[in-house]
Amino acid sequence: MLWDTHMHSQYSGDSDAAQESMIEAAIQKDLSGICFTDHLDIDYPVEPTLFLLDLPNYTASVLSHRERYRDRLPIRLGIELGLQPHLAALHDEILSQYPFDFVIGSSHLVHGVDPYYPVFYEGRAEKACYREYFASILENVRAFDGFDVYGHIDYVVRYGPTKNQHYHWSQYQDIIDEILTYLIEHGKGIEINTAGFHYGLNHPNPTEEIIARYRALGGEIITIGADAHKPEHVAYDFQKVPALLKHAGFQYYTVFRERKPEFIRLP
């Protein structure tokens, strides 16, 4: 009885999954609802047009499927913004033009470089790269507050040379605490993103310790998403989520409707 509120479709540059196939997968897995959050990453350096979301057609498609499946599955309209400080005004303008239910803000670039690619780590210590990534998150949230939840806070460890073999959040607690405190003070949530399990980390993004730290600092808004780009990854490892969130101190998780949080008791 969970919602998957982070998923992608053929409108994202890194997915070719038909929205209908994602919806049918969600129904098959008996989800309570879903939210599409396709990528919009403006000024993406490697392929500038790769993540330029076709907003009119994307929006129309989601709303059409919402109506078609209204008796079978609640479907909400979201977006995942790739944040960079210089895009703040443009993001505000875009969000004002579409009826989004939910906005994820994410860091996919670190000062113009995507940590997905090995070049980000060349000639540098992995720890220094991770610290720069967290520093860029703080820069992004200070520049733009038009999102509802910050996505996969330790996303960078998916792609580091040794992934999370030598990573522990406490090595970066000073800056992570600063990020979490800022989010809480500004009414923003975080997500538990189960793609970390899919990427072989044996942990969600962010790790269980960061989720617990957010709660200990007073954070209350947490959404659940698998970051699926294919139907088979919808609700990936969701069976682990209720116990993880309860262990972190949550009794409820969050979904958004018309940019307003709704709190649902964990099963």
Side-chain angles (χ1 to χ4, degrees), residues 82-189:
L83 302 187
Q84 299 184 69
H86 69 282
L87 299 175
L90 181 55
H91 283 155
D92 275 330
E93 180 182 350
I94 290 168
L95 294 181
S96 72
Q97 297 176 33
Y98 295 91
F100 292 114
D101 290 297
F102 181 45
V103 178
I104 300 174
S106 295
S107 290
H108 297 129
L109 298 174
V110 185
H111 304 130
V113 181
D114 189 340
Y116 174 84
Y117 295 102
V119 66
F120 178 67
Y121 308 93
E122 288 178 0
R124 298 201 295 161
E126 188 176 58
K127 186 175 180 179
C129 296
Y130 289 2
R131 179 164 285 275
E132 185 185 3
Y133 177 81
F134 291 123
S136 75
I137 291 179
L138 196 55
E139 293 167 9
N140 284 331
V141 300
R142 286 173 171 166
F144 176 74
D145 68 355
F147 58 91
D148 302 309
V149 162
Y150 213 85
H152 45 53
I153 285 175
D154 55 7
Y155 160 92
V156 68
V157 304
R158 292 183 187 175
Y159 307 112
T162 66
K163 293 193 173 183
N164 63 343
Q165 183 179 349
H166 306 296
Y167 164 76
H168 192 272
W169 83 283
S170 61
Q171 298 168 306
Y172 313 91
Q173 183 173 350
D174 56 335
I175 194 165
I176 290 173
D177 273 1
E178 199 168 353
I179 294 166
L180 297 178
T181 299
Y182 191 92
L183 292 174
I184 292 165
E185 289 177 348
H186 290 79
K188 309 302 179 183

